[in-house]
Amino acid sequence: MILQALANYYDRLVKDPDQDVPEPGFSVQKIHAAIVLDKEGNLVAMNDIQQEETIPPKNKKGKPKTRIVPKMVKVPFVEGRTSGVAAFFLWDNTGYVLGAQDKGKPDRIVKQFEAFRSLAHEVLDGVEDEGAKAVLTFLDARESGQVNDIEKFDEKFIGKNCVFRLYGEPDRFIHDHPAVRKAWLGHIDSTMERPTGVCLISGQVDEPQARIHPVLKGVRGAQTSGAYIVSFNASAFMSYGKEFNDNAPVSERAAFAYTTALNHLLNAKTADHQRMLLGDATMVFWSETPTRMESVLQMFIDPSAAGNDEGQEAHDGAVIGQLRAMLQAVRDGKEPPVATLLGDEPDTPFYVLGLAPNASRLAVRFWLVSTVADIAERLAQHFDDLAMETQFDFESEFPGIWRLVLELAPARPNAEGRYTSKMDDVPPVYAGALARSVFTGETYPESIVNRILGRFRSDGRVTHGRMALLAAHHRRALRKGRALSSNIQESEVKMSLNTESKNVGYRLGRLFAVLEKTQMEALGNVNATIKDRFFGSAMATPATVFPRLLDLGQKHIAKAEYGYVMDRHIAEIMEGFEVADGTPPFPAHLSSDDQVMFALGYYHQRNALWRKKETPQEATEAE
């Protein structure tokens, strides 16, 4: 299904004139120069066809830079070469095309030039084309290393790739002439000696089978030389006497199609808006036919990042506005303006593929098939489940997936005292599991809850992102029909402080936040607060901690200037515990579900205690 969807995507790309995707038998390669010939095969010039590329700044204070890069040109191509002498057709480095090379043995360079000339004759002999005749005449009249008569020849081109162009045709190369292309494709068919069979992708019979599939490049962490999705390179993987990829027969054309489409998606320069990194996985997505969702999904997944991009174009800014309106409408319980965003293409199939490195092969981290409307609805539901009040103005109410994954990493203070996290510290399995829950609408994995609770105990960081994830887990689990401990109801998992909740864990969390504030008002900043020392044990085993904390709290109340206010808060929380007569309100331990409620109660109560009260004027302006 993955390869079939990619092969279909390739067929769509080939028909799109705006996409620079090669046909079978061709490939896009880096070309530095063009050798210009007249119709008689005489040299006219050697033109530099490299282009200027703008490098965006690495941060907001930086400035864009420019550099000269080779031009990407579609050229005839079948497969790569290793250490042997094997020429390409009508393009190659100067060692093959001109016999001019600044390294290597002279005998080898002569063989390279002869191989290039021999292949040109093999393909072009008998072809009625002015460009083909000019190239053959040029090659026949030359000797290896003869470069002095080339006008404007620059030594900087030695060893670089070059192509041929006919004088008076500035917009196309000789290998683009229809007669030359036809001759090249005929040469491929005549020289291909592969067994035929049924293609598992296209279903067509008597198709030449691909022994080795083209490599895939662009997956983060994979080998720079490329890796494979389909590969049989050891006898342990083979069966029934078949060798290499004959164990999973795919035709040459289908193998070329799916690898070309995937390389196009993995290329950050050609499809940056359809590719993103998530943990160790490189994620790509596409639709069966062109849709607007293809270009906006990345911003949909991370609205905060898109909105903060100063380089965003006006068109994208309008899309971001629509995305935020849609997310806000869902949060407010209104009908989401899906039609405004998606137009008339909601039922179009949509694909999401996550790849991870695994030596010379690629591991499929996740593969999802859905529709444009379903993807939009699930993303909107995801952000609705994440609803949580923020602590600071810089925090986004719609955190991106990668930012949520980063919340699972240990937070460590840097030299400036600010806590930072690294994506490398997050085990790869979490990113894939979270992405799968977001795109399928299934419950969030329990492992993420346990991971966050563990982070609370180790680094003590109760952040907006972590709390949003915990709340989203409980909301979605309850909506899917899962019973949580202590009979927790969905109405109890609020976005902000819920003073009506009777859940023991939630009230204990609120009580802990009040005791922490009481200590702060009595002693000011101290080296180790009760949160630093007791948060983990108070969350897991309240009975061992809270009697001592309450006794300590009374001493802090006596010292604090407004201790009576904290005393009223403590009394209000303690009165809300629903316990049998004579039973202490502090259980010996809390389940993981109740520990989540404890963290929510602490987060909400702490925000309420530390939030700046609005002045009458500010309240009027807000209305």
Side-chain angles (χ1 to χ4, degrees), residues 18 39 62 67 69 93 107 109 159 187 239 287 290 293 398 414 418 421 458 466 472 530 560 574 604:
D18 296 330
K39 295 180 181 179
R67 64 179 178 182
V69 297
N93 62 57
D107 294 344
I109 296 173
H187 172 77
S239 58
S287 54
M293 179 58 88
F398 302 117
N414 58 18
R418 297 179 58 186
S421 303
S458 59
R466 290 177 177 178
I530 63 170
M574 294 295 291
H604 289 160

Side-chain angles (χ1 to χ4, degrees), residues 140-311:
D140 289 340
R142 297 194 57 76
E143 296 180 0
S144 177
Q146 182 185 350
V147 296
N148 295 332
D149 57 341
I150 299 179
E151 185 180 351
K152 299 181 180 178
F153 181 81
D154 195 326
E155 291 187 354
K156 69 180 181 182
F157 293 129
I158 291 182
K160 306 298 182 183
N161 292 333
C162 51
V163 293
F164 290 96
R165 173 178 285 164
L166 201 58
Y167 182 72
E169 295 182 350
D171 298 329
R172 68 171 182 173
F173 302 106
I174 291 178
H175 63 255
D176 291 327
H177 289 194
V180 176
R181 289 173 59 89
K182 183 179 178 180
W184 168 244
L185 294 176
H187 172 77
I188 295 176
D189 292 339
S190 63
T191 56
M192 188 174 294
E193 298 179 354
R194 294 287 300 140
T196 59
V198 179
C199 174
L200 293 183
I201 295 179
S202 65
Q204 295 182 348
V205 299
D206 295 333
E207 287 280 313
Q209 305 294 300
R211 185 181 178 85
I212 299 176
H213 296 188
V215 296
L216 300 167
K217 298 181 179 180
V219 176
R220 188 174 71 167
Q223 293 181 354
T224 55
S225 58
Y228 302 93
I229 284 184
V230 180
S231 174
F232 297 80
N233 61 345
S235 58
F237 309 140
M238 303 173 191
S239 58
Y240 298 103
K242 296 184 177 180
E243 296 182 345
F244 300 104
N245 287 354
D246 290 343
N247 290 272
V250 173
S251 68
E252 290 278 359
R253 188 198 179 282
F256 176 84
Y258 90 77
T259 53
T260 303
L262 190 50
N263 277 324
H264 175 81
L265 290 168
L266 292 171
N267 188 339
K269 292 183 179 178
T270 60
D272 184 47
H273 60 280
Q274 290 178 253
R275 169 185 179 272
M276 67 177 297
L277 304 176
L278 195 61
D280 75 327
T282 302
M283 188 176 76
V284 296
F285 40 83
W286 71 97
S287 54
E288 193 166 280
T289 58
T291 61
R292 201 175 177 190
M293 179 58 88
E294 272 186 343
S295 58
V296 303
L297 181 61
Q298 192 179 55
M299 291 184 289
F300 212 163
I301 293 173
D302 190 3
S304 57
N308 294 331
D309 188 353
E310 293 183 344

Side-chain angles (χ1 to χ4, degrees), residues 34-86:
I35 299 173
V36 182
L37 306 176
D38 62 16
K39 295 180 181 179
E40 286 71 35
N42 299 315
L43 292 169
V44 178
M46 189 168 186
N47 294 339
D48 186 348
I49 62 172
Q50 297 181 95
Q51 299 172 324
E52 191 174 87
E53 181 185 70
T54 301
I55 306 173
K58 295 182 179 179
N59 50 55
K60 295 181 179 179
K61 296 182 180 179
K63 295 181 179 179
K65 299 179 180 178
T66 59
R67 64 179 178 182
I68 302 299
V69 297
K71 184 176 182 178
M72 303 304 293
V73 179
K74 288 182 187 177
V75 293
F77 185 81
V78 174
E79 59 183 9
R81 60 186 173 216
T82 54
S83 58
V85 175

Side-chain angles (χ1 to χ4, degrees), residues 454-522:
R455 295 270 64 82
F456 287 156
R457 298 187 188 95
S458 59
D459 60 33
R461 300 278 296 165
V462 184
T463 62
H464 168 259
R466 290 177 177 178
M467 298 316 304
L469 260 180
L470 292 178
H473 169 270
H474 270 28
R475 288 170 182 145
R476 187 167 291 190
L478 290 166
R479 197 167 56 252
K480 295 290 183 181
R482 186 197 148 190
L484 301 180
S485 61
S486 301
N487 195 26
I488 299 171
Q489 301 299 314
E490 188 174 359
S491 59
E492 293 182 292
V493 187
K494 297 284 189 180
M495 181 176 172
S496 55
L497 182 62
N498 177 16
T499 58
E500 303 300 324
S501 176
K502 303 297 183 183
N503 181 269
V504 174
Y506 190 81
R507 284 203 166 257
L508 288 175
R510 290 182 58 198
L511 180 60
F512 191 87
V514 173
L515 293 172
E516 181 192 24
K517 184 70 164 35
T518 306
Q519 182 192 42
M520 175 68 184
E521 293 195 350

Side-chain angles (χ1 to χ4, degrees), residues 19 40 55 111 122 131 137 143 147 159 164 189 193 195 246 289 306 350 366 369 374 420 465 507 532 559 583 611 618:
Q19 300 292 342
E40 286 71 35
I55 306 173
K111 291 180 180 178
E122 191 175 340
T137 303
E143 296 180 0
V147 296
F164 290 96
D189 292 339
E193 298 179 354
D246 290 343
T289 58
F350 199 89
F366 50 87
V369 181
D374 285 344
T420 59
R507 284 203 166 257
D532 298 328
K559 288 185 178 180
T583 304
R611 185 179 298 117
E618 290 173 338

